mmCIF file of all heavy atoms in Angstrom:
data_model
loop_
_atom_site.group_PDB
_atom_site.id
_atom_site.type_symbol
_atom_site.label_atom_id
_atom_site.label_comp_id
_atom_site.label_asym_id
_atom_site.label_seq_id
_atom_site.Cartn_x
_atom_site.Cartn_y
_atom_site.Cartn_z
ATOM 1 N N TYR P 79 6.204 71.298 -61.070
ATOM 2 C CA TYR P 79 5.533 70.511 -60.036
ATOM 3 C C TYR P 79 5.559 69.028 -60.405
ATOM 4 O O TYR P 79 6.621 68.464 -60.592
ATOM 5 C CB TYR P 79 4.095 71.027 -59.844
ATOM 6 C CG TYR P 79 3.413 70.533 -58.600
ATOM 7 C CD1 TYR P 79 3.977 70.709 -57.344
ATOM 8 C CD2 TYR P 79 2.195 69.878 -58.679
ATOM 9 C CE1 TYR P 79 3.355 70.253 -56.197
ATOM 10 C CE2 TYR P 79 1.555 69.426 -57.535
ATOM 11 C CZ TYR P 79 2.134 69.612 -56.296
ATOM 12 O OH TYR P 79 1.508 69.158 -55.162
ATOM 13 N N SER P 80 4.412 68.395 -60.534
ATOM 14 C CA SER P 80 4.322 66.954 -60.732
ATOM 15 C C SER P 80 4.415 66.587 -62.211
ATOM 16 O O SER P 80 4.322 67.440 -63.090
ATOM 17 C CB SER P 80 2.990 66.453 -60.170
ATOM 18 O OG SER P 80 1.937 67.233 -60.710
ATOM 19 N N ALA P 81 4.610 65.290 -62.501
ATOM 20 C CA ALA P 81 4.685 64.804 -63.877
ATOM 21 C C ALA P 81 3.836 63.548 -64.005
ATOM 22 O O ALA P 81 3.884 62.664 -63.146
ATOM 23 C CB ALA P 81 6.129 64.514 -64.269
ATOM 24 N N PHE P 82 3.061 63.453 -65.091
ATOM 25 C CA PHE P 82 2.133 62.345 -65.293
ATOM 26 C C PHE P 82 2.297 61.774 -66.696
ATOM 27 O O PHE P 82 2.434 62.521 -67.669
ATOM 28 C CB PHE P 82 0.680 62.815 -65.130
ATOM 29 C CG PHE P 82 0.355 63.331 -63.765
ATOM 30 C CD1 PHE P 82 0.601 64.660 -63.434
ATOM 31 C CD2 PHE P 82 -0.184 62.501 -62.802
ATOM 32 C CE1 PHE P 82 0.311 65.147 -62.173
ATOM 33 C CE2 PHE P 82 -0.472 62.978 -61.541
ATOM 34 C CZ PHE P 82 -0.229 64.295 -61.218
ATOM 35 N N LYS P 83 2.263 60.458 -66.783
ATOM 36 C CA LYS P 83 2.253 59.777 -68.068
ATOM 37 C C LYS P 83 0.801 59.522 -68.446
ATOM 38 O O LYS P 83 0.069 58.831 -67.745
ATOM 39 C CB LYS P 83 3.017 58.451 -67.983
ATOM 40 C CG LYS P 83 3.124 57.716 -69.311
ATOM 41 C CD LYS P 83 3.960 56.456 -69.172
ATOM 42 C CE LYS P 83 4.077 55.702 -70.486
ATOM 43 N NZ LYS P 83 4.899 54.478 -70.353
ATOM 44 N N THR P 84 0.353 60.112 -69.558
ATOM 45 C CA THR P 84 -1.043 60.016 -69.957
ATOM 46 C C THR P 84 -1.157 59.484 -71.376
ATOM 47 O O THR P 84 -0.276 59.685 -72.214
ATOM 48 C CB THR P 84 -1.738 61.393 -69.887
ATOM 49 O OG1 THR P 84 -1.054 62.313 -70.756
ATOM 50 C CG2 THR P 84 -1.718 61.939 -68.483
ATOM 51 N N VAL P 85 -2.251 58.820 -71.646
ATOM 52 C CA VAL P 85 -2.524 58.261 -72.972
ATOM 53 C C VAL P 85 -3.180 59.339 -73.834
ATOM 54 O O VAL P 85 -4.021 60.104 -73.374
ATOM 55 C CB VAL P 85 -3.452 57.037 -72.857
ATOM 56 C CG1 VAL P 85 -3.778 56.470 -74.235
ATOM 57 C CG2 VAL P 85 -2.809 55.969 -71.984
ATOM 58 N N ASN P 86 -2.764 59.433 -75.108
ATOM 59 C CA ASN P 86 -3.392 60.353 -76.049
ATOM 60 C C ASN P 86 -3.490 59.702 -77.419
ATOM 61 O O ASN P 86 -3.182 58.528 -77.596
ATOM 62 C CB ASN P 86 -2.627 61.688 -76.108
ATOM 63 C CG ASN P 86 -1.181 61.510 -76.539
ATOM 64 O OD1 ASN P 86 -0.826 60.533 -77.208
ATOM 65 N ND2 ASN P 86 -0.324 62.438 -76.147
ATOM 66 N N GLU P 87 -3.907 60.491 -78.408
ATOM 67 C CA GLU P 87 -4.113 59.934 -79.740
ATOM 68 C C GLU P 87 -2.817 59.467 -80.394
ATOM 69 O O GLU P 87 -2.822 58.629 -81.290
ATOM 70 C CB GLU P 87 -4.807 60.970 -80.643
ATOM 71 C CG GLU P 87 -4.031 62.248 -80.903
ATOM 72 C CD GLU P 87 -4.166 63.273 -79.783
ATOM 73 O OE1 GLU P 87 -4.860 62.956 -78.793
ATOM 74 O OE2 GLU P 87 -3.581 64.358 -79.901
ATOM 75 N N LYS P 88 -1.671 59.977 -79.947
ATOM 76 C CA LYS P 88 -0.389 59.568 -80.501
ATOM 77 C C LYS P 88 0.202 58.358 -79.767
ATOM 78 O O LYS P 88 1.251 57.872 -80.129
ATOM 79 C CB LYS P 88 0.601 60.732 -80.424
ATOM 80 C CG LYS P 88 0.176 61.964 -81.208
ATOM 81 C CD LYS P 88 1.188 63.094 -81.034
ATOM 82 C CE LYS P 88 0.721 64.352 -81.764
ATOM 83 N NZ LYS P 88 1.673 65.486 -81.567
ATOM 84 N N GLY P 89 -0.450 57.912 -78.749
ATOM 85 C CA GLY P 89 0.068 56.819 -77.936
ATOM 86 C C GLY P 89 0.091 57.218 -76.479
ATOM 87 O O GLY P 89 -0.775 56.852 -75.705
ATOM 88 N N TRP P 90 1.072 58.037 -76.096
ATOM 89 C CA TRP P 90 1.140 58.559 -74.741
ATOM 90 C C TRP P 90 2.103 59.741 -74.708
ATOM 91 O O TRP P 90 2.904 59.953 -75.623
ATOM 92 C CB TRP P 90 1.562 57.495 -73.736
ATOM 93 C CG TRP P 90 2.830 56.761 -74.090
ATOM 94 C CD1 TRP P 90 2.936 55.594 -74.795
ATOM 95 C CD2 TRP P 90 4.168 57.161 -73.787
ATOM 96 N NE1 TRP P 90 4.251 55.236 -74.947
ATOM 97 C CE2 TRP P 90 5.040 56.183 -74.329
ATOM 98 C CE3 TRP P 90 4.739 58.233 -73.104
ATOM 99 C CZ2 TRP P 90 6.424 56.238 -74.216
ATOM 100 C CZ3 TRP P 90 6.116 58.289 -72.990
ATOM 101 C CH2 TRP P 90 6.944 57.316 -73.537
ATOM 102 N N SER P 91 2.022 60.521 -73.681
ATOM 103 C CA SER P 91 2.908 61.676 -73.503
ATOM 104 C C SER P 91 3.089 61.928 -72.023
ATOM 105 O O SER P 91 2.402 61.355 -71.179
ATOM 106 C CB SER P 91 2.328 62.928 -74.183
ATOM 107 O OG SER P 91 1.099 63.287 -73.580
ATOM 108 N N ILE P 92 4.036 62.809 -71.704
ATOM 109 C CA ILE P 92 4.305 63.184 -70.327
ATOM 110 C C ILE P 92 3.843 64.620 -70.120
ATOM 111 O O ILE P 92 4.162 65.510 -70.912
ATOM 112 C CB ILE P 92 5.809 63.064 -70.006
ATOM 113 C CG1 ILE P 92 6.316 61.664 -70.362
ATOM 114 C CG2 ILE P 92 6.063 63.369 -68.542
ATOM 115 C CD1 ILE P 92 5.593 60.541 -69.659
ATOM 116 N N ASN P 93 3.077 64.858 -69.079
ATOM 117 C CA ASN P 93 2.559 66.189 -68.788
ATOM 118 C C ASN P 93 3.040 66.650 -67.427
ATOM 119 O O ASN P 93 3.032 65.882 -66.461
ATOM 120 C CB ASN P 93 1.027 66.166 -68.791
ATOM 121 C CG ASN P 93 0.466 65.833 -70.158
ATOM 122 O OD1 ASN P 93 0.218 66.707 -70.957
ATOM 123 N ND2 ASN P 93 0.273 64.544 -70.423
ATOM 124 N N THR P 94 3.435 67.902 -67.349
ATOM 125 C CA THR P 94 3.821 68.479 -66.074
ATOM 126 C C THR P 94 3.400 69.936 -66.029
ATOM 127 O O THR P 94 3.120 70.550 -67.073
ATOM 128 C CB THR P 94 5.339 68.356 -65.840
ATOM 129 O OG1 THR P 94 5.642 68.767 -64.499
ATOM 130 C CG2 THR P 94 6.133 69.215 -66.799
#
Side-chain angles (χ1 to χ4, degrees):
Y79 194 55
S80 52
F82 298 86
K83 183 177 180 180
T84 59
V85 178
N86 59 24
E87 63 278 1
K88 299 178 183 178
W90 52 268
S91 63
I92 306 302
N93 296 270
T94 188

